[in-house]
């Protein structure tokens, strides 16, 4: 009874970014409440069934994988905020609770990397999962040898070996070549995996059984993607991880000419019957934190479902998708996603069109395609790059980017932008301190020209401050 | 009745002046800035003839109402004394004492000598308005700002933009200590003996006291009605009523009207001096005299470690940012509108009003012996933003003259100099140009460091003719703790 009231109060919503869930303790065995009470609860707060998760089968190993995969990139921090806003340590207790809740509701795929959360994610994942029998979960990690100093064979192998130690396992279920195509494209790919013999090494590890599935995650230069697929007969990719969502389906290239539409990526994989693992189904929250009119459009059709659920249903509705990853920071994210996938209600054709139309509407907003993945961080000069970009996006979504001092809401919007800017980003970490060294851009999976955007925002802030708009 | 009017006016003035020092948003200056501008010493230093004349005439007619109503330090003492008097058996705790001439005139003499000699720190130490400004800006403003920050904290959580956070920082240790000691001394004196400070130390009180001897209206004791109970004398916080001789020392009386209200026999009246009203000769206070030049310090720019870019191996996290340190400047920097260092020193009363309102953390009290507490500029926390004119708007003493945005962008208060050893393109091998990008007057150009090689790392060159010394380059320079480009002040500001 008490638990029910508690749950009712905190209607899980993605917008509650700052609130860490306190209601995670809904035990798996809790008996469903009576019919009378069920009607009182919104669908968004209803009991999550523990045995309804949608599973997909991996054709090469026969793994029965939960459609929802737990991304360990955005883990919570002890500060109570979304983990990655500062230098705070990971909140291991919260991670354990979320993993417990996920496993109790059928999630069995966990995706991490040696680079995530300032390099702390693998260890936290290992601690949380090692409390379960090894056959209860699948682990995915990556060879994240981005830094030129780790391109050597020795350094790469050391990184790979270290993952076993951190994750406390003796085999890895899914190993990925991390973010191929990014940075230096084909050249960088060859330096990281071919010239040092690492790809051959990993193929050997797969034969030895220490890697059960080998694949790659892809961003950026399409040549690398096409090249790797052309070598499918030789490498026998067990899976490929791509960015797919209703905005990127047809607009990825339009948003940034360096990127490729998800329609093409998914099509190429489906053609070869390679299972797709989906990342950024929600664009780092950009598809849950929408401009108001778009939010209303989605809510109108499903008032009792979260905005985010549309994006997850979209990604999950493609039949050759094996797992849809979600980097969940708090219990509310997890619960909302579980509601969407326990079980998945695939989109109808009409609903798919509806989402594609929605994407067309969204293209009218000039938001910066930052997903807050923090691959660009840490900036050597101390800037908080994602925070600067997200503040700009937030103001854009809320109509607080005045273009002229004659605008009707100029005074209010100016104040909201400037006061909010100082709140979101400490002065010393604001765009005015960007020197344009460009260390960040090659790391951006979305291909944003970060210094250019920061300088643009800085010029805009300068005009707001000087009132010369 | 008269007492009540005095109290109401005093409270209003007191709140207004205090508000000026507390309000970091700069909103109330537009309405109440005049309450600082009518303070005596600032008006004298500003050569504000109108205000000085008004105060002189006011004192010649009504006596030292200035001390009771307009002077915030005086009202502060009244408040402390009043609190003290609310204790049991302390309502009538004063008694008549003769004038301490040597102290009053001694301090006045030292004060005038200091003023003429240009020892700004000594002048600022004795000036009552300056003392009060220091006390509020150093002791009370931080409390006010913390209160504001608490509201801002809640506002942020309520998604409101009504309050925004402001930075509370120690602007100058020396000035803080002076303010704290001044406050303690004056508070103790006021708690025990009322306005001792005003009539033994305060140079403004001494000058006005000299005038008020000849005031047209003043309280007088009607010897016929007086029963010599002594209540008035025991209520007089300036200890100036000699009831036995029915005499009041008008040089010390601040016209608080307490005695009139206290007398049970109606023996004291605020009455006109009908006999002869000889015109008092105004005490000329020469203020234009030339002063000692500013000592120039030798510039030794310490070689500094720069922030080294590190190879990025993992995602997320924030790099640690080292605090900037103040470079050694051969010539200090004073704000646009100050015209130059000498003009600034001649007029500044070190009241800290400009320091209190500077929204960019640029102004802070100097720690030099000769200029102690007088504001100066430095750019570790921010720079002198082109749209901001706050300090020039609030300065009551004419040390910082009012200036417009257009004039400001054409006023050269200093010029940037470059320090090769710290410049990031040379030390870290990355492209930068952040100084050039932010220069509001395009005085900085990025040129290849090797004239022979157009692809060599680009370094900034400063066009000193254009540079106005705003410090954007210094503040935004990525080199830490010492910037690779910093501003040297100009002795005399020039325009164009």
């Amino acid at each position: 009874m008490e638990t029910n009231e508690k749950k009712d109060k905190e209607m899980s919503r993605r917008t509650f970014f700052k609130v860490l869930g306190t209601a995670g303790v809904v035990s798996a065995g809790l008996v469903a409440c009576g019919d009378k009470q069920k009607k009182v609860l919104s669908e968004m707060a209803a009991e999550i069934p523990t045995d309804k998760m949608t599973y997909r089968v991996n054709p090469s190993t026969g793994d029965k994988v939960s459609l929802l995969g737990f991304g360990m990139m955005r883990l919570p921090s002890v500060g109570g905020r979304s983990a990655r806003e500062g230098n705070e340590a990971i909140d291991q207790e919260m991670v354990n609770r979320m993993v417990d809740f996920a496993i109790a509701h059928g999630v069995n795929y966990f995706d991490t990397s040696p680079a995530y959360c300032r390099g702390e994610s693998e260890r936290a994942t290992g601690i949380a999962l090692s409390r379960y029998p090894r056959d209860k979960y699948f682990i995915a990690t990556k060879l994240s040898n981005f830094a030129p100093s780790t391109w050597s064979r020795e350094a790469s192998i050391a990184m790979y070996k270290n993952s076993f130690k951190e994750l406390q396992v003796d085999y890895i279920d899914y190993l990925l070549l991390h973010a191929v195509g990014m940075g230096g494209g084909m050249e960088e790919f060859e330096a990281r995996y071919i010239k040092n013999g690492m790809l051959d090494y990993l193929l050997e590890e797969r034969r030895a059984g220490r890697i059960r599935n080998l694949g790659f995650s892809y961003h950026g230069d399409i040549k690398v993607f096409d090249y790797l697929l052309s070598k499918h007969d030789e490498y026998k990719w067990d899976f490929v991880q791509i960015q797919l969502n209703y905005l990127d389906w047809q607009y990825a290239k339009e948003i940034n000419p360096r990127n490729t539409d998800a329609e093409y990526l998914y099509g190429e994989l489906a053609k070869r019957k390679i299972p797709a693992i989906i990342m950024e189904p929600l664009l780092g929250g950009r598809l849950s934190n929408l401009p108001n009119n778009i939010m209303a459009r989605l809510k109108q059709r499903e008032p009792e479902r979260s905005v985010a659920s549309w994006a997850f249903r979209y990604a999950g509705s493609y039949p050759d998708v094996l797992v849809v990853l979600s980097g969940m920071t708090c219990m509310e994210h997890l619960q909302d996603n579980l509601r969407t996938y326990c079980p998945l209600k695939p989109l109808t054709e009409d609903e798919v069109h509806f989402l594609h139309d929605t994407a067309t509407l969204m293209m009218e907003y000039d938001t910066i395609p930052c997903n807050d993945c923090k691959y660009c961080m840490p900036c050597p000069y101390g800037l908080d790059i994602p925070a600067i970009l997200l503040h700009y996006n937030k103001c854009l979504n809320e109509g607080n980017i005045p273009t002229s001092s004659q605008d009707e809401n100029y005074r209010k919007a100016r104040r909201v932008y400037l006061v909010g800017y100082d709140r979101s980003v400490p002065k010393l970490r604001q765009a005015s301190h960007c020197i344009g060294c460009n260390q960040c851009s090659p790391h951006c999976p979305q291909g944003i020209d970060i210094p250019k955007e920061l300088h643009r925002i800085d010029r805009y802030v300068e005009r707001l401050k000087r009132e010369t708009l | 009745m008269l007492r009540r009017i005095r109290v109401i006016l005093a409270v209003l003035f007191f709140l207004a002046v205090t508000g000026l020092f507390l309000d970091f948003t700069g909103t109330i200056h537009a309405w109440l800035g005049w309450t600082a501008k009518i303070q005596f010493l600032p008006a004298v230093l500003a050569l504000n003839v109108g205000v000085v004349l008004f105060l002189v005439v006011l004192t010649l007619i009504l006596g030292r109402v200035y001390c009771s109503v307009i002077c915030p330090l005086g009202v502060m003492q009244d408040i402390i004394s009043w609190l003290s008097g609310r204790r049991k058996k302390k309502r009538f705790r004063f008694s008549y004492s003769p004038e301490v001439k040597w102290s009053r005139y001694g301090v006045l003499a030292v004060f005038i000598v200091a003023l003429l000699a240009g020892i700004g720190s000594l002048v600022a130490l004795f000036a009552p308005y300056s003392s009060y400004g220091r006390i509020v800006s150093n002791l009370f403003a931080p409390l006010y700002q913390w209160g504001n920050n608490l509201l801002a904290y809640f506002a942020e959580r309520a998604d409101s933009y009504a309050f925004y956070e402001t930075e509370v920082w120690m602007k100058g240790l020396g000035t803080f200590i002076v303010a704290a000691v001044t406050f303690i001394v004056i508070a103790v004196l006021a708690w025990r003996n009322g306005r001792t400070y005003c009539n033994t130390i305060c140079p403004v009180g001494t000058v006005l006291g000299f005038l008020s001897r000849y005031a047209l209206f003043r309280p007088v004791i009607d010897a016929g009605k007086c029963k010599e109970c002594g209540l008035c004398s025991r209520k007089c916080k300036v200890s100036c009523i000699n009831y036995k001789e029915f005499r009041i020392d008008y040089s010390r009386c601040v016209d608080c009207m307490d005695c009139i209200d206290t007398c049970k026999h109606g023996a004291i009246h605020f009455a006109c001096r009908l006999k002869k009203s000889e015109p008092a000769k105004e005490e000329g206070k020469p203020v234009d005299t030339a002063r000692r030049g500013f000592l120039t310090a030798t510039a030794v720019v310490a070689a500094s470690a720069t922030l080294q870019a590190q190879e990025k191996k993992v995602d997320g996290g924030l790099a640690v940012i080292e605090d900037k340190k103040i470079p050694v400047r051969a010539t200090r920097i004073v704000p646009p509108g100050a015209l130059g260092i000498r003009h600034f020193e001649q007029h500044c009363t070190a009241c800290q009003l400009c320091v209190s309102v500077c929204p960019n953390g640029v102004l802070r009290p100097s720690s030099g012996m000769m200029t102690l507490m007088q504001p100066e500029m430095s750019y570790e926390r921010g720079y002198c933003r082109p749209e901001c004119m706050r300090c020039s708007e609030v300065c009551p003493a004419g040390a910082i003259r009012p200036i417009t945005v257009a004039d400001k962008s054409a006023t050269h208060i200093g010029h940037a100099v470059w320090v090769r050893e710290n410049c990031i393109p040379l030390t870290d091998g990355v492209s930068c140009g952040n100084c050039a990008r932010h220069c509001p007057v395009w005085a900085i150009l990025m040129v290849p460091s090797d004239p022979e090689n157009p692809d060599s790392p680009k370094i900034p060159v400063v066009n000193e003719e254009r540079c106005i010394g705003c410090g954007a380059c210094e503040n935004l320079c990525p080199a830490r703790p010492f910037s690779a480009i910093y501003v040297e002040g100009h002795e005399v500001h020039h325009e164009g």
Side-chain angles (χ1 to χ4, degrees):
Chain A
M1 190 58 205
E2 192 196 326
T3 326
N4 256 322
E5 282 174 11
K6 212 168 157 192
K7 280 181 62 187
D8 199 26
K9 265 184 221 157
E10 59 165 47
M11 311 247 296
S12 66
R13 263 186 224 132
R14 234 155 241 279
T15 40
F16 283 178
F17 251 70
K18 286 176 186 166
V19 188
L20 269 185
T22 49
V25 269
V26 188
S27 75
L30 186 78
V31 186
C33 31
D35 279 344
K36 245 197 297 181
Q37 279 180 337
K38 263 194 175 168
K39 280 173 193 151
V40 184
L41 288 173
S42 155
E43 249 185 79
M44 290 171 77
E47 186 68 23
I48 304 163
T50 55
D51 55 352
K52 292 281 194 296
M53 172 61 75
T54 299
Y55 290 91
R56 298 270 163 88
V57 177
N58 176 345
S60 61
T61 52
D63 290 347
K64 220 179 125 213
V65 187
S66 60
L67 185 53
L68 177 63
F70 200 136
M72 312 299 274
M73 188 174 86
R74 304 170 194 263
L75 295 175
S77 76
V78 286
R81 304 183 300 170
S82 148
R84 311 134 54 245
E85 286 173 20
N87 284 335
E88 289 150 331
I90 290 176
D91 184 350
Q92 186 69 48
E93 204 182 316
M94 197 61 210
V95 173
N96 289 359
R97 277 175 57 195
M98 286 170 65
V99 166
D100 290 346
F101 193 85
I103 289 183
H105 289 80
V107 174
N108 64 8
Y109 189 95
F110 296 85
D111 173 271
T112 179
S113 148
Y116 290 168
C117 301
R118 287 175 290 131
E120 301 293 328
S121 170
E122 274 191 338
R123 182 171 307 158
T125 308
I127 292 170
L129 288 176
S130 61
R131 300 171 302 141
Y132 288 89
R134 185 64 182 88
D135 60 356
K136 280 287 249 185
Y137 57 88
F138 301 114
I139 254 184
T141 191
K142 314 184 178 82
L143 188 53
S144 310
N145 54 349
F146 300 114
S149 68
T150 56
W151 285 358
S152 73
R153 184 179 171 86
E154 295 69 34
S156 297
I157 291 178
M159 182 180 280
Y160 167 71
K161 289 259 161 81
N162 191 54
S163 291
F164 286 84
K165 208 177 95 204
E166 299 284 6
L167 290 164
Q168 309 181 36
V169 293
D170 45 22
Y171 63 88
I172 286 167
D173 300 282
Y174 293 79
L175 191 96
L176 298 90
L177 318 185
H178 197 177
V180 301
M182 236 161 67
M186 205 61 204
E187 203 177 314
E188 183 170 327
F189 167 75
E190 293 202 339
R192 284 171 63 191
Y193 297 109
I194 305 297
K195 284 180 188 148
N196 57 10
M198 271 317 285
L199 184 52
D200 292 332
Y201 175 85
L202 294 176
L203 291 167
E204 192 52 48
E205 287 290 292
R206 180 169 64 178
R207 268 189 289 280
R210 282 186 289 275
I211 296 172
R212 294 185 57 244
N213 296 278
L214 185 62
F216 62 88
S217 67
Y218 155 80
H219 284 290
D221 191 346
I222 192 64
K223 283 193 199 118
V224 184
F225 180 83
D226 289 339
Y227 170 79
L228 289 177
L229 287 196
S230 71
K231 293 278 200 175
H232 181 48
D233 290 339
E234 185 184 338
Y235 298 139
K236 293 274 179 280
W237 301 113
D238 297 298
F239 65 100
V240 169
Q241 188 162 308
I242 54 167
Q243 176 168 323
L244 181 150
N245 52 64
Y246 58 84
L247 193 60
D248 281 326
W249 186 253
Q250 283 173 329
Y251 288 118
K253 201 171 179 64
E254 195 169 317
I255 293 168
N256 189 323
R258 272 183 45 193
N259 295 336
T260 307
D261 293 344
E263 186 175 21
Y264 173 81
L265 303 176
Y266 177 78
E268 290 297 298
L269 296 179
K271 220 165 27 183
R272 295 171 174 84
K273 284 287 162 206
I274 303 173
I277 291 182
I278 304 305
M279 56 183 157
E280 301 291 359
L282 202 56
L283 284 175
R286 272 197 293 136
L287 295 185
S288 62
N289 190 6
L290 296 170
N292 253 344
N293 60 334
I294 301 204
M295 185 277 294
R297 180 182 152 89
L298 294 178
K299 278 280 183 182
Q300 201 173 20
R301 281 183 83 130
E302 293 272 9
E304 291 194 87
R305 287 299 186 132
S306 68
V307 172
S309 72
W310 280 101
F312 281 97
R313 286 177 65 208
Y314 181 86
S317 294
Y318 289 94
D320 289 315
V321 164
L322 186 64
V323 179
V324 178
L325 294 171
S326 175
M328 297 172 281
T329 305
C330 57
M331 197 57 93
E332 285 71 26
H333 298 170
L334 175 58
Q335 290 172 342
D336 187 45
N337 292 341
L338 286 171
R339 282 194 183 93
T340 308
Y341 282 160
C342 294
L344 166 75
K345 200 175 100 196
L347 294 178
T348 62
E349 205 170 313
D350 179 47
E351 284 172 324
V352 172
H353 285 308
F354 168 70
L355 282 183
H356 286 159
D357 290 346
T358 305
T360 309
L361 282 178
M362 285 175 66
M363 286 302 289
E364 286 170 21
Y365 285 84
D366 200 15
T367 46
I368 299 163
C370 171
N371 295 348
D372 195 21
C373 71
K374 294 222 195 287
Y375 280 24
C376 53
M377 297 289 283
C379 161
Y381 296 98
L383 276 82
D384 193 343
I385 299 166
I388 297 165
L389 302 182
L390 293 184
H391 176 69
Y392 181 85
N393 280 351
K394 178 174 178 272
C395 289
L396 198 63
N397 280 340
E398 293 170 358
N400 287 321
I401 302 279
T403 49
S404 147
S405 54
Q406 304 305 309
D407 285 4
E408 199 182 328
N409 68 338
Y410 171 73
R411 298 245 56 102
K412 183 200 133 249
R414 177 178 180 272
R415 188 173 176 91
V416 166
Y417 196 99
L418 293 179
V419 173
Y421 192 36
D422 286 348
R423 282 179 183 172
S424 311
V425 193
K427 280 207 167 64
L428 280 175
R429 304 194 185 279
Q430 292 181 353
S432 58
H433 291 272
C434 172
I435 68 165
C437 74
N438 206 28
Q439 178 184 289
C440 45
S441 284
H443 294 278
C444 179
Q446 308 308 320
I448 303 170
D449 186 341
I450 296 171
K452 194 177 126 209
E453 294 292 352
L454 292 181
H455 291 160
R456 180 171 73 91
I457 291 175
D458 184 39
R459 278 197 304 275
Y460 180 72
V461 168
E462 201 53 39
R463 295 184 69 188
L464 274 188
K465 284 187 176 167
R466 293 195 204 173
E467 306 217 42
T468 51
L469 271 178
Chain B
M1 182 59 196
L2 286 171
R3 178 177 177 273
R4 178 160 299 171
I5 292 170
R6 187 268 300 177
V7 169
I8 290 169
L9 286 177
V11 167
L12 290 178
F13 269 96
F14 183 74
L15 290 178
V17 176
T18 308
L20 293 183
F21 283 93
L22 296 180
D23 174 37
F24 55 88
T25 65
T27 27
I28 70 166
H29 284 277
W31 306 93
L32 299 172
W34 59 274
T35 55
K37 297 201 162 96
I38 59 164
Q39 301 292 328
F40 189 77
L41 189 65
V44 170
L45 290 176
L47 301 179
N48 198 335
V49 182
V51 169
V52 175
L53 217 60
F54 166 74
L55 292 177
V56 166
V57 171
L58 180 74
T59 310
L60 283 176
I61 295 175
L62 295 174
R64 285 170 64 180
V65 286
Y66 172 86
C67 301
S68 265
V69 173
I70 299 173
C71 174
L73 195 74
V75 180
M76 184 186 87
Q77 293 176 74
D78 283 352
I79 293 170
I80 294 170
S81 172
W82 176 73
L83 288 173
S84 171
R86 284 173 59 92
R87 296 175 299 163
K88 271 185 187 166
K89 295 185 182 170
K90 294 287 179 186
R91 274 194 69 199
F92 302 99
R93 67 186 198 284
F94 306 113
S95 62
Y96 174 76
S97 61
E99 187 184 3
V100 192
K101 276 193 174 143
W102 63 268
S103 174
R104 296 182 82 177
Y105 293 105
V107 172
L108 181 62
V110 171
F111 185 77
I112 290 173
V113 169
L115 207 56
L116 298 179
I119 311 173
S121 50
L122 215 54
V123 173
L125 196 63
F126 291 124
Y129 163 72
S130 306
S131 290
Y132 183 72
R134 271 195 306 277
I135 289 168
V136 178
S137 67
N138 278 282
L139 307 181
F140 300 141
L143 301 177
Y144 180 83
Q145 289 166 347
W146 278 321
N148 166 79
N149 288 355
L150 192 69
L151 291 175
Y153 176 88
F154 289 118
E156 184 176 351
R157 265 134 200 87
D159 244 354
S160 150
Y161 294 90
F163 297 94
Y164 60 87
E165 197 175 312
T166 178
E167 202 180 354
V168 184
W169 54 292
M170 169 67 80
K171 286 163 180 148
L173 185 63
T175 305
F176 179 84
I177 292 170
V178 170
V181 170
T182 312
F183 179 68
I184 292 167
V185 168
I186 292 179
V188 168
L189 288 175
W191 184 266
R192 298 173 55 155
N193 295 315
R195 285 185 174 237
T196 311
Y197 173 85
C198 304
N199 285 327
T200 46
I201 298 171
C202 180
V204 174
T206 308
V207 171
L208 294 180
F210 184 75
L211 296 176
S212 71
R213 285 177 204 271
Y214 312 103
L216 196 57
F217 289 87
R218 71 270 188 271
V220 282
I221 304 175
D222 183 343
K225 287 184 182 168
C226 180
K227 300 274 189 284
E228 293 185 45
C229 68
L231 212 53
C232 54
S233 183
R234 286 162 60 206
K235 184 72 180 169
C236 177
K237 62 199 172 201
V238 289
S239 309
C240 73
I241 305 177
N242 185 350
Y243 70 95
K244 285 177 183 153
E245 296 175 19
F246 315 113
R247 279 204 300 114
I248 296 176
D249 178 353
Y250 295 123
S251 79
R252 286 185 287 157
C253 174
V254 294
D255 292 299
C256 70
M257 319 293 179
D258 282 357
C259 51
I260 299 175
D261 266 27
T262 307
C263 184
K264 292 172 180 163
H265 314 292
I268 308 181
H269 299 281
F270 196 60
C272 183
R273 177 206 297 271
L274 285 171
K275 296 181 268 179
K276 52 173 181 167
S277 58
E278 58 185 73
K281 49 185 186 257
E282 190 190 332
E283 192 189 13
K285 291 228 303 183
V287 286
D288 271 333
T289 327
R291 305 216 191 139
R292 273 212 297 208
F294 180 69
L295 286 174
T296 48
T298 46
V300 184
V301 180
S304 66
T306 50
L307 185 76
Q308 285 288 333
Q310 287 175 353
E311 189 183 38
K312 181 185 131 63
K313 289 185 176 167
V314 293
D315 304 331
L318 293 166
V320 177
I321 301 177
E322 204 180 338
D323 281 342
K324 287 227 181 213
K325 287 188 181 156
I326 306 174
V328 180
R329 303 184 206 274
T331 309
R332 67 193 193 120
I333 320 167
V334 291
L339 308 183
I341 289 173
R342 199 174 55 181
H343 173 270
F344 183 72
E345 284 175 9
Q346 281 171 349
H347 293 85
C348 176
T349 65
C351 72
Q352 314 295 313
L353 194 50
C354 55
V355 176
S356 301
V357 299
C358 177
N360 300 308
V362 169
L363 283 167
R364 74 278 310 273
S366 158
S367 53
M369 270 312 285
M370 298 298 288
T371 53
L372 187 70
M373 302 180 285
Q374 285 197 353
E376 62 186 16
M377 300 166 85
S378 201
Y379 302 127
E380 300 79 53
R381 289 166 177 272
Y383 60 94
C384 194
R385 290 205 43 91
E387 75 279 3
C388 174
M389 298 162 294
R390 292 269 187 87
C391 55
S392 83
E393 285 162 0
V394 302
C395 181
I400 310 171
R401 296 269 180 83
I403 194 168
T404 62
V405 171
D407 285 343
K408 178 173 177 172
S409 67
T411 302
H412 304 258
I413 63 170
H415 64 278
V417 292
W418 180 62
V419 186
R420 170 180 284 273
E421 289 72 31
N422 298 344
C423 196
I424 297 275
L426 301 179
T427 58
D428 289 20
V430 291
S431 68
C432 180
N434 215 32
C435 46
R437 197 159 35 243
H438 288 94
C439 180
V441 291
W442 301 282
I444 303 177
L445 286 177
M446 299 302 290
V447 299
S449 52
D450 177 1
E452 306 297 314
N453 177 8
D455 296 327
S456 57
K458 286 191 175 169
I459 53 167
V461 288
V462 181
N463 181 350
E464 286 90 355
E465 290 303 307
R466 278 197 174 183
C467 176
I468 56 171
C470 70
C473 51
E474 178 178 334
N475 178 248
L476 296 172
C477 174
R480 289 170 178 273
F482 289 105
S483 298
I485 189 162
Y486 76 96
V487 176
E488 277 293 349
H490 285 164
E491 292 247 358
V492 178
H493 298 174
H494 47 88
E495 285 182 34

